[in-house]
Amino acid sequence: MNYNVDEKGYYGEFGGAFIPEMLYPNVENLRQQYLIIMAEPSFKKEFDQLLKDYVGRPSPLYFAKRLSEKYNTKVYLKREDLNHTGAHKVNNTIGQILMAKRLGKTRIIAETGAGQHGVATATVCALMGMECIVYMGEIDIARQAPNVARMKMLGAEVRPALSGSRTLKDATNEAIRDWINNPVDTHYIIGSAIGPHPYPDMVTRFQSIISEEIKWQLKEKEGKENPDFVVACIGGGSNAAGTFYHFLHEKEVGIIAVEAAGKGVDSGESAATSVLGKMGIIHGCKTLLMQTIDGQITEPYSISAGLDYPGVGPMHAHLFKTGRAEFIAVTDDEAMQAGMVLSKLEGIIPAIESSHAFAILETRKFKPEDVVVINLSGRGDKDLDTYIKYFKL
Amino acid sequence: MNRIHQKLQADNKILSIYFTAGYPSLNDTVKIIQDLEKNGVDMIEIGLPFSDPLADGPTIQASSTQALKNGMTTSLLFQQLKDIRESVSIPLILMGYFNPVLQYGVEDFCRKCQEIGIDGLILPDLPLDVYQENYEAIFNKYGLVNVFLITPQTSDDRIDQIDAASDGFIYMVSSASVTGSQDGFGNNQETYFQRIADMKLKNPQVVGFGISNSETFQQATKQAKGAIIGSAFIKFLTQNGVDKIGDFVKGIRK
């Protein structure tokens, strides 16, 4: 079984490029160029250098002793929260800004949910002196105020998405419309492993540094490259894609994707796409998505803005469909409690997105000798307000 | 030969109007179609509303949202249109996004279109290669014309490919924009219209996006066979309701 993208841009039956003709020249140009550009020695050199000196990679693989004792298994944390800008998102924006430069683009647009991708995009635009416009749902602007301020400080313009549920899905629609309106000078930096081919594959490749590092770091610590399990939270699925990538074809590695169940999978307020979704087309790709019987995309819910998305990337849809990955849905409450546990036991306040990944330790039993690597995709600073309200701190 | 071919062979300066089914009110669909024909409109695009219309500007987005709120569904639209051919003879095209069609079942959708007397489909996010590989045979089986879009950024090679794959007309997007985004045409459009005219394509072209009044309609149809008006008509319906449709058409044709 192949879990990577095929020549036509599909993962099994998922993927493709379902885009209006207005986007075709840009997406087609990117499709033809992205692998060639990524293979250029000068590109690789610049990318690696920036990841090292600017982002602060490699991010540590940390053995969480107290967490391991509590759950009676060996838990390692991949510390993407320690990256510059506080999350894994910057791995991809560094790659895409270098890509945009080589494609001759001068103006950058992006969508953002929690604001982490928006901040990471604004950051690299500041670094490269490029114009940056970030689309963000009006509701997310309200619940992620610190990240909005960060983007503004970094010189980006934050434009509210006022349509639909006014969250990540609608911000993505607005970014796509902007790209239709500005086809010549603009590159769209998609932040998740979604969108028309080649985006899911390109984003996955830029994020794959996460699993690449886990391999050699684990070798140093455990004497073997492959853990028994890799775990990541999943909205659109960029941190999960990067965490899983180099283990997709390693049969002995169990892959666990943790979705946001919101107030419960059956509550009507959820973002658990693998349970609630059906094959359909969203934002240019064929994948699992939450929709009505009539094919209207429904409005998801999660306490975490970064997981509040009605679809999953096509690679993940394929991993789910083939049974290669185990999908677990975690409620708001379970995630918030897990965030508190990690804070108290390890002195690390996680982003609420990442808290979802940790919540499975309560319910999913591992053996004492299992090595479980959890991707700590982001830090919790941006979520303090939500934590304060939830725990009445 | 279906109604689209006949109409495009017979006439020039084809006026085609887009509206969103279920807007302003759920059951306006049939009346809008009948009134448009009565007032001399040549062809109609009936919009199947979608929750996430990527290629549409604020006007059509808002009409889609309202239509869905009003309760419009694919089945209901088919129900409303079931007897439309008893009173309407101009070409009727369904326009929408691919996901609702996919969920209905592409073959079921096409069969239903044929039963009703729909002549063609415009599905902007169904790409050429996917159409040819998976759906062309089904469209043909039910006598449906599939209409592709081209834009000022579309390369000559791609236009040739689209022309070869088309059998009806080519929807020529006037500029790099979502629907309803601009007023009037400038030199860029003139150059683009001329460039396409010079390509001598086998399919006639109908210009859409950015046509809002008689001036832009005249400009667009100088070279192209016809033009499509969407957002401007939706705005008119929002302001005037469905009783004065004749005034709108006269304003364009004057």
Side-chain angles (χ1 to χ4, degrees):
Chain A
M1 181 71 73
N2 175 30
Y3 300 108
N4 289 327
V5 77
D6 68 20
E7 280 163 17
K8 289 183 151 180
Y10 284 83
Y11 301 84
E13 58 193 310
F14 304 101
F18 292 80
I19 47 167
E21 193 62 31
M22 293 82 115
L23 292 176
Y24 181 83
N26 271 322
V27 172
E28 176 61 14
N29 184 38
L30 188 63
R31 188 188 68 80
Q32 287 174 6
Q33 298 290 324
Y34 82 113
L35 290 177
I36 298 169
I37 291 174
M38 284 177 77
E40 284 169 7
S42 69
F43 180 93
K44 280 175 134 164
K45 194 176 161 207
E46 201 177 353
F47 182 57
D48 292 347
Q49 195 76 44
L50 283 169
L51 287 185
K52 179 168 175 279
D53 297 336
Y54 188 72
V55 175
R57 300 204 73 92
S59 69
L61 183 70
Y62 164 71
F63 176 64
K65 184 160 171 289
R66 299 188 67 204
L67 204 63
S68 297
E69 279 165 8
K70 177 174 165 67
Y71 293 110
N72 195 27
T73 190
K74 291 168 95 172
V75 181
Y76 282 87
L77 312 186
K78 181 58 174 164
R79 299 291 309 274
E80 293 299 301
D81 62 318
L82 293 177
N83 291 340
H84 178 45
T85 72
H88 71 288
K89 291 288 187 188
V90 73
N91 303 327
N92 169 49
T93 59
I94 293 269
Q96 284 205 46
I97 198 92
L98 297 178
M99 182 72 65
K101 270 174 65 179
R102 280 161 176 79
L103 293 169
K105 304 291 184 179
T106 54
R107 179 177 176 273
I108 297 295
I109 54 170
E111 85 295 338
T112 197
Q116 290 305 97
H117 174 59
V119 168
T121 304
T123 299
V124 297
C125 286
L127 182 67
M128 299 294 168
M130 276 160 101
E131 185 186 354
C132 180
I133 290 135
V134 179
Y135 290 90
M136 188 169 187
E138 197 183 28
I139 290 189
D140 292 335
I141 288 180
R143 62 180 167 178
Q144 303 287 346
N147 272 344
V148 176
R150 281 187 190 103
M151 287 185 267
K152 287 182 180 165
M153 273 195 79
L154 293 161
E157 183 193 340
V158 181
R159 291 191 189 163
L162 305 171
S163 59
S165 57
R166 291 168 292 146
T167 60
L168 180 54
K169 154 178 104 79
D170 311 285
T172 308
N173 290 338
E174 288 305 327
I176 291 173
R177 289 182 188 119
D178 182 307
W179 209 17
I180 288 174
N181 287 327
N182 299 283
V184 178
D185 60 348
T186 300
H187 175 70
Y188 177 18
I189 300 190
I190 296 183
S192 198
I194 57 158
H197 177 67
Y199 274 100
D201 186 50
M202 179 171 68
V203 174
T204 298
R205 284 169 188 264
F206 287 137
Q207 291 293 358
S208 69
I209 184 75
I210 300 172
S211 48
E212 188 185 314
E213 287 175 3
I214 291 173
K215 282 206 158 216
W216 64 257
Q217 289 172 321
L218 202 63
K219 176 92 181 165
E220 281 180 10
K221 290 177 197 298
E222 291 283 333
K224 58 174 189 180
E225 285 190 337
N226 289 341
D228 296 289
F229 294 93
V230 281
V231 184
C233 66
I234 183 168
S238 69
N239 96 79
T243 306
F244 301 161
Y245 185 76
H246 288 286
F247 302 114
L248 291 172
H249 297 96
E250 305 284 359
K251 285 195 183 107
E252 73 266 31
V253 181
I255 292 176
I256 301 178
V258 187
E259 291 182 309
K263 294 180 179 169
V265 168
D266 300 319
S267 68
E269 293 183 76
S270 177
T273 310
S274 74
V275 188
L276 302 168
K278 227 186 114 207
M279 163 90 89
I281 288 159
I282 183 170
H283 298 141
C285 69
K286 193 184 255 190
T287 189
L288 291 172
L289 69 117
M290 291 165 53
Q291 54 185 315
T292 65
I293 189 160
D294 221 35
Q296 308 295 342
I297 299 171
T298 53
E299 301 183 356
Y301 163 81
S302 166
I303 195 168
S304 131
L307 304 182
D308 201 349
Y309 185 71
V312 284
M315 181 180 106
H316 300 296
H318 185 54
L319 294 179
F320 174 74
K321 190 78 187 284
T322 56
R324 175 65 185 94
E326 179 182 346
F327 278 64
I328 301 176
V330 158
T331 63
D332 288 355
D333 291 332
E334 291 168 323
M336 295 304 278
Q337 295 300 337
M340 189 57 101
V341 168
L342 187 68
S343 304
K344 290 275 195 296
L345 287 183
E346 298 290 348
I348 298 170
I349 301 173
I352 298 173
E353 289 77 14
S354 318
S355 297
H356 283 73
F358 288 89
I360 67 150
L361 291 169
E362 285 287 335
T363 50
R364 172 70 167 78
K365 291 297 165 226
F366 297 100
K367 294 189 209 113
E369 66 275 20
D370 279 345
V371 173
V372 181
V373 176
I374 302 179
N375 193 41
L376 178 45
S377 56
R379 69 178 83 126
D381 306 28
K382 71 179 173 61
D383 293 317
L384 269 187
D385 252 13
T386 313
Y387 280 124
I388 288 167
K389 279 192 197 110
Y390 187 88
F391 290 109
K392 307 198 168 40
L393 300 169
Chain B
M1 189 147 90
N2 83 13
R3 295 177 196 87
I4 295 174
H5 301 120
Q6 286 168 5
K7 175 60 82 176
L8 288 167
Q9 280 186 3
D11 291 333
N12 282 314
K13 293 196 182 296
I14 299 279
L15 172 60
S16 189
I17 299 281
Y18 167 93
F19 75 100
T20 307
Y23 181 86
S25 299
L26 184 58
N27 294 312
D28 286 337
T29 313
V30 171
K31 177 180 164 49
I32 292 174
I33 294 171
Q34 288 172 340
D35 282 11
L36 286 171
E37 180 177 50
K38 227 178 286 167
N39 286 287
V41 165
D42 299 304
M43 188 159 77
I44 298 173
E45 280 89 41
I46 305 163
L48 179 62
F50 183 49
S51 55
D52 294 75
L54 294 179
D56 285 303
T59 304
I60 293 180
Q61 279 177 52
S63 70
S64 300
T65 306
Q66 188 58 45
L68 292 172
K69 266 191 201 148
N70 291 345
M72 184 47 75
T73 65
T74 310
S75 309
L76 181 61
L77 178 59
F78 285 144
Q79 183 64 31
Q80 290 178 343
L81 294 176
K82 134 178 101 64
D83 300 322
I84 196 71
R85 283 304 173 194
E86 289 173 13
S87 58
V88 172
S89 60
I90 57 174
L92 297 176
I93 295 171
L94 286 191
M95 181 162 186
Y97 290 81
F98 188 46
N99 196 49
V101 178
L102 190 65
Q103 301 311 319
Y104 193 90
V106 176
E107 176 140 20
D108 288 347
F109 191 95
C110 291
R111 184 186 303 117
K112 203 76 200 176
C113 284
Q114 187 188 43
E115 273 172 36
I116 289 167
I118 297 294
D119 305 293
L121 298 177
I122 306 176
L123 303 167
D125 60 342
L126 173 59
L128 177 63
D129 58 332
V130 176
Y131 168 73
Q132 288 185 312
E133 209 166 300
N134 302 303
Y135 303 118
E136 188 170 15
I138 300 174
F139 277 52
N140 289 340
K141 181 172 164 194
Y142 296 101
L144 292 170
V145 162
N146 188 32
V147 178
F148 293 103
L149 276 57
I150 61 170
T151 82
Q153 273 69 43
T154 311
S155 68
D156 286 1
D157 282 353
R158 177 87 175 162
I159 292 174
D160 284 337
Q161 239 181 324
I162 287 170
D163 190 37
S166 300
D167 177 31
F169 65 91
I170 291 176
Y171 191 133
M172 206 170 132
V173 176
S174 69
S175 55
S177 73
V178 294
T179 53
S181 342
Q182 51 152 24
D183 314 300
F185 293 135
N187 288 338
N188 286 346
Q189 275 86 26
E190 296 288 344
T191 315
Y192 164 56
F193 293 164
Q194 189 60 50
R195 177 187 142 218
I196 302 302
D198 290 345
M199 287 184 77
K200 310 260 180 256
L201 302 174
K202 80 173 164 83
N203 288 276
Q205 303 99 52
V206 179
V207 180
F209 291 44
I211 295 144
S212 56
N213 51 31
S214 70
E215 193 194 346
T216 40
F217 178 74
Q218 289 304 332
Q219 279 178 296
T221 53
K222 223 183 284 169
Q223 309 255 25
K225 193 79 183 180
I228 301 170
I229 300 179
S231 297
F233 181 61
I234 304 274
K235 273 185 200 154
F236 180 88
L237 291 178
T238 306
Q239 285 160 9
N240 303 284
V242 294
D243 292 327
K244 295 177 185 164
I245 286 172
D247 293 352
F248 181 82
V249 180
K250 280 183 207 105
I252 304 297
R253 288 282 201 201
K254 76 180 174 206

